[in-house]
C-alpha cells in the first residue's frame, strides 16, 4: 500500500504525496527562508512507499515558470546535479503567480513520481529565470530537514538554471 502525504518543505514548499487508503498527511519544514536563487536540489526518502504528486513552492512576488525534475533512475541528486541527462522533467508550470513571501504557491501540476519503501529520490525544483526560489542555508547535504513515519526530506544544494549547482554548500529546501 502507498501512503499519501502533503508536506510543507522547509521555508517554502509543500509536497502532495498521494495514493492509498491511508489518506493524505502533512509534514511542514517551515517558511523561514530568506535566501533565494534559481532552484534547489534535494532528496526525499520513503520508509513506506509514496507517490509525489505535486509541490507548493515558496517564491518571491511575481509571475514565474517553474520546472520540476527528478533523477531518472531514482536515487540521490548528489553527484548528478550538473548532468542534465540524468534527470527527467516531470512538470512545468508557466505563468505561475506567486502568493508572496512566507506563503505557499501551489504548483498546479501532477508529478506522479513513485518512491518505493526504503527508496530515495532526488528532485530539482527551479525557476527558468531570475533567482526567485526561497530557501534556508543548511547544515550539511543529506541532513534530515523534516521527517515523519513515511518520509524524510533531506537538505541538498542550490544552483543556477539549468543544472549548474553550487556544491557543496548545503541548502534546506523550502
Amino acid at each position: 500500500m502507498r501512503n499519501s502525504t502533503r508536506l510543507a518543505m522547509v521555508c517554502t514548499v509543500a509536497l502532495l504525496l498521494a495514493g492509498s487508503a491511508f489518506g493524505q498527511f502533512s509534514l511542514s519544514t517551515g517558511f523561514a527562508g530568506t535566501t533565494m536563487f534559481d532552484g534547489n536540489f534535494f532528496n526525499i526518502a520513503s520508509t513506506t512507499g509514496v507517490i509525489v504528486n505535486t509541490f507548493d513552492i515558496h517564491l518571491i512576488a511575481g509571475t514565474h515558470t517553474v520546472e520540476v525534475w527528478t533523477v531518472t533512475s531514482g536515487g540521490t541528486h548528489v553527484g548528478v546535479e550538473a548532468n542534465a541527462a540524468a534527470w527527467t522533467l516531470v512538470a512545468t508550470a508557466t505563468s505561475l503567480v506567486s502568493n508572496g513571501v512566507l506563503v505557499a504557491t501551489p504548483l498546479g501540476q501532477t508529478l506522479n513520481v513513485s518512491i518505493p519503501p526504503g527508496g530515495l529520490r532526488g528532485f530539482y525544483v527551479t525557476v527558468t529565470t531570475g533567482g526567485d526560489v526561497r530557501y534556508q542555508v543548511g547544515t550539511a547535504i543529506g541532513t534530515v530537514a523534516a521527517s515523519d513515519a513515511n518520509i524524510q526530506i533531506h537538505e541538498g544544494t542550490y544552483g543556477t538554471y539549468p543544472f549548474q549547482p553550487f556544491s557543496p554548500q548545503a541548502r534546506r529546501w523550502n
Side-chain angles (χ1 to χ4, degrees):
M1 293 209 120
R2 296 189 186 270
N3 288 315
S4 67
T5 253
R6 182 156 181 96
L7 307 169
M9 302 292 282
V10 168
C11 267
T12 56
V13 176
L15 298 170
L16 180 63
L17 305 168
S20 79
F22 290 106
Q24 298 179 2
F25 58 93
S26 293
L27 176 62
S28 178
T29 58
F31 288 91
T34 58
T35 308
M36 61 190 135
F37 216 76
D38 291 354
N40 286 125
F41 299 88
F42 59 95
N43 292 327
I44 298 175
S46 172
T47 55
T48 59
V50 294
I51 298 171
V52 178
N53 278 335
T54 194
F55 287 98
D56 289 342
I57 313 298
H58 187 194
L59 298 166
I60 66 168
T63 302
H64 310 274
T65 297
V66 176
E67 293 180 353
V68 179
W69 297 78
T70 190
V71 176
T72 302
S73 61
T76 184
H77 70 85
V78 176
V80 297
E81 297 95 339
N83 180 4
W87 296 84
T88 298
L89 180 65
V90 292
T92 302
T94 58
S95 301
L96 185 63
V97 178
S98 172
N99 287 333
V101 176
L102 304 178
V103 179
T105 300
L107 182 65
Q109 302 289 312
T110 301
L111 308 179
N112 198 32
V113 176
S114 293
I115 306 173
L120 179 79
R121 190 104 193 207
F123 289 88
Y124 174 40
V125 179
T126 186
V127 294
T128 59
T129 57
D132 302 331
V133 178
R134 295 180 64 94
Y135 56 86
Q136 291 173 284
V137 173
T139 312
I141 294 171
T143 297
V144 176
S147 66
D148 65 14
N150 301 292
I151 64 169
Q152 294 179 337
I153 303 164
H154 298 170
E155 290 182 6
T157 192
Y158 69 110
T160 303
Y161 178 83
F163 301 104
Q164 296 175 17
F166 294 113
S167 291
Q169 300 171 353
R171 296 298 183 257
R172 181 178 278 198
W173 171 243
N174 288 218

